Amino acid sequence: MKSLKRRVRLDHHRLAQAIARSGRDQNDWADELEISRGYFSQLVHGHKCHPGPEVRRKLLRGLGLDFDELFLIEGGEPASSGWRGPRSGPPPADKRGQGRSLAVGSGLWWGEIGQSLRSLLRRPAFSAVAVLTLAAGIGANALLFSAVHAVLLQPYPYPEAERVVDLYESNEARGWAFNSVSPPNYLDFKEGNRTFEALAAYQVKDVNFSTGQFAERVTAVEAPSDFFAVLGVQPERGRFFHTGPPSEEEDLLVISHTFWRSRLGGDPQVLGSAVDLDGRRYTIAGVLPAGIDFPSPQVQLYTPMSEAFLKTQGRGGRYLRVVGRLKQGVRLSQAQSDLAAIAQGLQQAYPESNADWSVTLTPHGELSASSVRRPLMVLWLTTGLVLLIACANLANLLLGQAASRRRELAVRLALGAGRKRLTARLLTESLLLSLCGAAVGLLLAALGAGWLTRWASQALPRAQDISVNWTVAGFTLLLASAATVLFGWLPSWRAARLDPQAGLGAGPRATSAQGGRLRYGLIVAEVALALTVLVGAGLLLRSLSEIMGSEAGFESRNLLTLRVEPGMLTMQPGQDMVSFWNARQEQRDVINDFYGRLLARLQALPGVQRASAVNRGPLEGSWWGTSFRLDGRAPVPRNQQPTALTRVVMPGYFRTMGIDLMRGRVFLASDRRDAQHVAVIDQALARANWPGESPLGQRITLNDPEDPFVIWYTVVGVVDDISHHGLGQTRGGTLYLHFPQAIFGHFGDWGMDIAIRHQQGAGPGLASAVRAVVRELDPSLPVFQVRTGEDLLAQDTARRRLQTLLLAAFGALALILCASGIFSVVSYSVASRRREIGIRRALGARGTHIYRRVLSQGLLPVALGILLGLPAAWALTLLLQDMLFHVQPYDPPTLLLSCLALLLLGAAAALLPAYRANQINPLSILRSD
């Protein structure tokens, strides 16, 4: 074949730049370098571009530069130049020379980046694949870090938020670590502590908000005057309710900045406006600053809480949330000891209600964050594994590129480019790939953050804060730097160790096996990491399947639920408890009549089969649990009494929900307020309190039996258990009361979930018809929380579905990266062994033999990776243990399917290269020789 003679070209732009930065005249340089001024001028202006070896040697030594900083290779293999290296000694040791070297090196550093960029642009396919591979790994990490930062790391927007703590009452004997607080106990904690600047109780409630023009359901906080002192904030407009006599403060209202902007149009004259909450008039006194939405973004209004009313409450009822601000310099442990001493005193003073009750303090938001900390960290760890797979994949690609650039690199070394310089060039290319990958990954993370915010709104606390901000961008830059080292160092180091003489003489035969073992080793590592991610995703998928297949205890198909909450009377200033009690009883009869008329109208709608109501439907958690006493049993202390979730229902509820009646009867229309008080219990409550005997006819009370106004409920029926705490959780333990017989003190509000059983296909337009009926009965009542039975189940499993979806997506990404890695390595191996394969075919090798050899190259590293990945997968399953349901961490079916998926993937990735190998024409190979 004809020998190609390649030439060395001077980059005159860089020569001119070096001379300009040195601050010396062009002629001075010509004289110093012993080059004629005319010829030197032609070199500087680009009229002469191919100086001889001696001139090249003078330029490099005199300017103190490396070969790559001043010369380019035209083509690949140079002509013999007599070049013997960059420079045999240091540059001239004069002050001007030293300053010149620094200036030129600084300027040419940018030129080095430009050369690296041009090198990548000359290989667009490789660069695009590399950038997308890195973008996938870095983008997944940035997305999960944005969630971790928002939920676990980002401080709350309150001044010195680290001093804000949550207070709970705890009862170790009953396993209640984070319970709500009794009103009298809260007042004692507030008055007796020595470690808090401020301590405030609050209640979160939903209210019907009306301005006279529209009505809607909004979330409000009822809190005392020092509540805002705990947060440490000042109003943006107006004032808080903290001055003046109590009677003047009870009708004031503070609104959030978001509510002011979105619902009231940001009206600057909003202060002093009158609005209606549950039929009571309030005056807007102030607006909170932007970003303050304690305790959650759903809260929009803040109303006063009367501490005088709290003093009238019993110590046995625990329903307040409490938050406090520590004094300067006080540690959480000091405050814990301070309040624990007060709690111990309350145990001794009030043993009936406070025996075994203590207090627990946590940093604000820690309880909600702790429930998602492990799942988030496991997902973040998984994205780290995906990034490692991406880096191993890219390292493989760079090793292949280094082998194809072997002749070019050898030429650079032969012409005097230092090995450190060559390593720096290759690392610069890797850094540019990382930065481009990080930029694309950051864009993908920004798009994913919006999606994650919507999906995680019901699954993660503070999900609204998930975004790609400067902190996430900085983390992504660190990832890009780490990725550069992970995938760029090894190929650069191997390339710098290249022997120039061997590289210049190497042809396809000499380079066919270069780095083969190393590249296959990287595939083994990729498969091991991918197996770890796949096993985790498989376990969560199986666990979610088990949960979705578990019985909820009610029929979810063709079910529509919605909520309507008429407002309750509140205690007026100066009103005594007796008159307040009587007013509540009268209101209960009015509300009972309202729900009766509403259900009758709903049952008459087309497509509706049955309709009923319950104060809190299934899967609503432990809302309203109460203790009770059994008739005929020896009295026990209050803290040892049996407890149950208590639900108030309207007639027909069990049939509407599809809850089976096991014994006795359900509530009838004849079970009115003036009739015998009756109750229905579920099987779990029956087994716990009347084991081995029938509970029918037994009597229970929610009051003290010694109370002269005690009310006894006779158990008339037993129904099947349903899920209240969530699918997969313990079912049952519920006491059902009839709405007309549920007295104040046994029923916290008049709000009811309306349950409608409808015909197949009648659901889509039913919600609008229900809203029209409610509007006709009472225009001030909004209809909200409209959900189908399937929505109830989906909402309950939202967190699990989000975790499973993310881990499954990362598993799929790991598989794609693995497949591309196997395909690239096997394809390169086939391409570099074309001559060998052609000769084998010429000697009679069958196609099946070629297929078998090539497929084995893809399957062998997969098998080794599976063996090495099993311990890592086992370690990950230990972290997932608390997230699983009815699935063992080391689940054989999941492991088997994951291994089988990787083996099939390896075979599929090697199939196309095997086909190409089988299509090699042996005659063309022999002719080329």
Side-chain angles (χ1 to χ4, degrees), residues 89-169:
D94 59 82
K95 294 182 180 180
R96 290 182 299 174
Q98 293 174 8
R100 178 175 71 252
S101 297
L102 289 175
V104 172
S106 169
L108 292 181
W109 183 77
W110 290 101
E112 183 67 30
I113 293 180
Q115 277 196 353
S116 299
L117 184 58
R118 287 193 294 271
S119 175
L120 293 175
L121 292 177
R122 285 196 296 268
R123 297 169 287 158
F126 162 77
S127 301
V129 171
V131 168
L132 291 178
T133 299
L134 279 173
I138 292 177
N141 274 269
L143 176 61
L144 257 295
F145 178 75
S146 68
V148 170
H149 179 258
V151 177
L152 303 179
L153 304 179
Q154 183 170 280
Y156 284 88
Y158 319 127
E160 298 181 282
E162 69 279 0
R163 293 168 53 198
V164 180
V165 299
D166 294 325
L167 185 153
Y168 305 93
E169 288 199 83

Side-chain angles (χ1 to χ4, degrees), residues 153-449:
L153 304 179
Q154 183 170 280
Y156 284 88
Y158 319 127
E160 298 181 282
E162 69 279 0
R163 293 168 53 198
V164 180
V165 299
D166 294 325
L167 185 153
Y168 305 93
E169 288 199 83
S170 56
N171 190 320
E172 292 185 4
R174 295 198 172 195
W176 298 339
F178 303 99
N179 204 77
S180 300
V181 180
S182 160
N185 289 351
Y186 150 69
L187 295 175
D188 289 333
F189 291 143
K190 181 177 180 179
E191 295 173 4
N193 83 85
R194 297 171 297 175
T195 52
F196 285 89
E197 278 188 3
L199 198 66
Y202 66 95
Q203 280 187 284
V204 179
K205 59 182 182 179
D206 291 331
V207 295
N208 297 324
F209 175 86
S210 175
T211 62
Q213 298 178 346
F214 64 92
E216 61 182 316
R217 192 71 176 174
V218 299
T219 303
V221 160
E222 185 180 7
S225 57
D226 48 4
F227 172 76
F228 300 103
V230 172
L231 302 185
V233 298
Q234 297 297 324
E236 179 177 322
R237 291 173 176 267
R239 68 176 182 90
F240 296 143
F241 32 84
H242 55 77
T243 59
S247 60
E248 297 179 5
E249 298 293 310
E250 290 182 353
D251 292 327
L252 295 182
L253 177 69
V254 174
I255 61 177
S256 71
H257 188 276
T258 302
F259 187 82
W260 174 53
R261 287 290 186 185
S262 62
R263 308 296 178 87
L264 302 180
D267 182 7
Q269 307 299 322
V270 68
L271 300 181
S273 301
V275 297
D276 185 275
L277 298 183
D278 285 341
R280 180 174 175 178
R281 302 293 287 177
Y282 284 83
T283 301
I284 299 178
V287 179
L288 278 171
I292 304 299
D293 48 16
F294 185 94
S296 71
Q298 288 72 38
V299 174
Q300 299 167 326
L301 309 176
Y302 299 82
T303 62
M305 173 185 287
S306 170
E307 291 195 352
F309 175 74
L310 296 181
K311 294 178 180 179
T312 66
Q313 303 299 293
R315 291 186 181 270
R318 290 176 165 84
Y319 56 87
L320 292 179
R321 303 185 188 182
V322 179
V323 63
R325 175 173 286 270
L326 297 174
K327 292 181 179 178
Q328 284 283 0
V330 173
R331 297 189 301 273
L332 186 66
S333 57
Q334 293 176 289
Q336 176 73 48
S337 301
D338 180 26
L339 293 186
I342 299 175
Q344 187 174 6
L346 294 177
Q347 290 182 27
Q348 298 173 356
Y350 309 99
E352 178 68 17
S353 59
N354 282 56
D356 298 328
W357 284 94
S358 187
V359 67
T360 300
L361 297 179
T362 65
H364 175 60
E366 173 62 23
L367 185 60
S368 58
S370 63
S371 63
V372 298
R373 178 174 283 109
R374 173 169 289 191
L376 275 179
M377 298 309 291
V378 168
L379 289 171
W380 195 19
L381 171 63
T382 305
T383 61
L385 299 180
V386 172
L387 180 59
L388 289 177
I389 296 173
C391 289
N393 207 342
L394 193 50
N396 247 327
L397 291 175
L398 287 175
L399 285 172
Q401 285 289 306
S404 64
R405 298 172 65 188
R406 183 180 178 83
R407 191 178 300 273
E408 173 198 342
L409 299 175
V411 169
R412 292 183 180 276
L413 288 171
L415 292 176
R419 296 187 183 275
K420 291 184 179 178
R421 183 70 179 176
L422 190 60
T423 303
R425 163 67 66 83
L426 296 176
L427 281 176
T428 302
E429 293 182 7
S430 300
L431 180 61
L432 289 175
L433 289 175
S434 292
L435 293 177
C436 292
V440 178
L442 204 59
L443 177 61
L444 294 177
L447 296 175

